[in-house]
mmCIF file of all heavy atoms in Angstrom:
data_model
loop_
_atom_site.group_PDB
_atom_site.id
_atom_site.type_symbol
_atom_site.label_atom_id
_atom_site.label_comp_id
_atom_site.label_asym_id
_atom_site.label_seq_id
_atom_site.Cartn_x
_atom_site.Cartn_y
_atom_site.Cartn_z
ATOM 1 N N THR A 57 -105.217 -15.223 53.094
ATOM 2 C CA THR A 57 -104.379 -14.161 53.639
ATOM 3 C C THR A 57 -105.012 -13.537 54.858
ATOM 4 O O THR A 57 -106.243 -13.167 54.810
ATOM 5 C CB THR A 57 -104.007 -13.056 52.579
ATOM 6 O OG1 THR A 57 -103.239 -13.739 51.597
ATOM 7 C CG2 THR A 57 -103.199 -11.944 53.201
ATOM 8 N N VAL A 58 -104.267 -13.264 55.896
ATOM 9 C CA VAL A 58 -104.804 -12.659 57.177
ATOM 10 C C VAL A 58 -104.569 -11.137 56.940
ATOM 11 O O VAL A 58 -103.543 -10.727 56.519
ATOM 12 C CB VAL A 58 -104.094 -13.153 58.363
ATOM 13 C CG1 VAL A 58 -104.620 -12.367 59.623
ATOM 14 C CG2 VAL A 58 -104.332 -14.674 58.590
ATOM 15 N N PHE A 59 -105.681 -10.387 57.341
ATOM 16 C CA PHE A 59 -105.554 -8.920 57.149
ATOM 17 C C PHE A 59 -105.909 -8.310 58.520
ATOM 18 O O PHE A 59 -106.565 -8.818 59.413
ATOM 19 C CB PHE A 59 -106.693 -8.452 56.199
ATOM 20 C CG PHE A 59 -106.369 -8.537 54.837
ATOM 21 C CD1 PHE A 59 -106.738 -9.839 54.192
ATOM 22 C CD2 PHE A 59 -105.820 -7.549 54.018
ATOM 23 C CE1 PHE A 59 -106.341 -9.965 52.841
ATOM 24 C CE2 PHE A 59 -105.587 -7.775 52.699
ATOM 25 C CZ PHE A 59 -105.883 -8.946 52.109
ATOM 26 N N ASP A 60 -105.307 -7.128 58.836
ATOM 27 C CA ASP A 60 -105.567 -6.261 59.938
ATOM 28 C C ASP A 60 -107.011 -5.621 59.359
ATOM 29 O O ASP A 60 -107.033 -4.850 58.444
ATOM 30 C CB ASP A 60 -104.553 -5.249 60.061
ATOM 31 C CG ASP A 60 -104.891 -4.129 61.107
ATOM 32 O OD1 ASP A 60 -106.102 -4.031 61.583
ATOM 33 O OD2 ASP A 60 -104.010 -3.356 61.462
ATOM 34 N N VAL A 61 -108.046 -5.966 60.086
ATOM 35 C CA VAL A 61 -109.344 -5.560 59.552
ATOM 36 C C VAL A 61 -109.772 -4.188 60.059
ATOM 37 O O VAL A 61 -110.913 -3.682 59.782
ATOM 38 C CB VAL A 61 -110.495 -6.651 59.770
ATOM 39 C CG1 VAL A 61 -110.092 -7.846 58.980
ATOM 40 C CG2 VAL A 61 -110.645 -6.923 61.232
ATOM 41 N N GLY A 62 -109.001 -3.527 60.964
ATOM 42 C CA GLY A 62 -109.296 -2.219 61.375
ATOM 43 C C GLY A 62 -110.659 -2.020 61.945
ATOM 44 O O GLY A 62 -111.027 -2.591 62.938
ATOM 45 N N GLY A 63 -111.417 -1.087 61.251
ATOM 46 C CA GLY A 63 -112.742 -0.725 61.774
ATOM 47 C C GLY A 63 -113.737 -1.899 61.752
ATOM 48 O O GLY A 63 -114.784 -1.855 62.386
ATOM 49 N N LEU A 64 -113.519 -3.021 60.942
ATOM 50 C CA LEU A 64 -114.376 -4.103 60.926
ATOM 51 C C LEU A 64 -114.377 -4.885 62.253
ATOM 52 O O LEU A 64 -115.194 -5.567 62.598
ATOM 53 C CB LEU A 64 -114.031 -5.156 59.907
ATOM 54 C CG LEU A 64 -114.700 -5.034 58.554
ATOM 55 C CD1 LEU A 64 -114.223 -6.150 57.621
ATOM 56 C CD2 LEU A 64 -116.220 -5.108 58.703
ATOM 57 N N THR A 65 -113.444 -4.514 63.138
ATOM 58 C CA THR A 65 -113.393 -5.036 64.564
ATOM 59 C C THR A 65 -114.671 -4.708 65.182
ATOM 60 O O THR A 65 -115.231 -5.574 66.076
ATOM 61 C CB THR A 65 -112.239 -4.413 65.388
ATOM 62 O OG1 THR A 65 -111.062 -4.720 64.677
ATOM 63 C CG2 THR A 65 -112.225 -4.968 66.718
ATOM 64 N N GLU A 66 -115.293 -3.511 64.926
ATOM 65 C CA GLU A 66 -116.538 -3.150 65.595
ATOM 66 C C GLU A 66 -117.672 -4.215 65.293
ATOM 67 O O GLU A 66 -118.518 -4.495 66.139
ATOM 68 C CB GLU A 66 -116.886 -1.814 65.074
ATOM 69 C CG GLU A 66 -115.821 -0.717 65.509
ATOM 70 C CD GLU A 66 -116.260 0.683 65.048
ATOM 71 O OE1 GLU A 66 -117.420 0.830 64.664
ATOM 72 O OE2 GLU A 66 -115.448 1.567 65.191
ATOM 73 N N ILE A 67 -117.683 -4.665 63.932
ATOM 74 C CA ILE A 67 -118.708 -5.561 63.653
ATOM 75 C C ILE A 67 -118.419 -7.059 63.981
ATOM 76 O O ILE A 67 -119.284 -7.865 64.237
ATOM 77 C CB ILE A 67 -118.951 -5.388 62.167
ATOM 78 C CG1 ILE A 67 -119.664 -4.114 61.837
ATOM 79 C CG2 ILE A 67 -119.831 -6.529 61.518
ATOM 80 C CD1 ILE A 67 -121.093 -3.955 62.520
ATOM 81 N N LEU A 68 -117.152 -7.472 63.933
ATOM 82 C CA LEU A 68 -116.777 -8.782 64.163
ATOM 83 C C LEU A 68 -116.641 -9.124 65.617
ATOM 84 O O LEU A 68 -116.832 -10.239 66.108
ATOM 85 C CB LEU A 68 -115.352 -9.084 63.524
ATOM 86 C CG LEU A 68 -115.307 -9.122 61.980
ATOM 87 C CD1 LEU A 68 -113.868 -9.377 61.537
ATOM 88 C CD2 LEU A 68 -116.304 -10.173 61.477
#
Side-chain angles (χ1 to χ4, degrees):
T57 294
V58 175
F59 285 83
D60 175 350
V61 296
L64 265 182
T65 300
E66 300 181 7
I67 289 297
L68 291 179

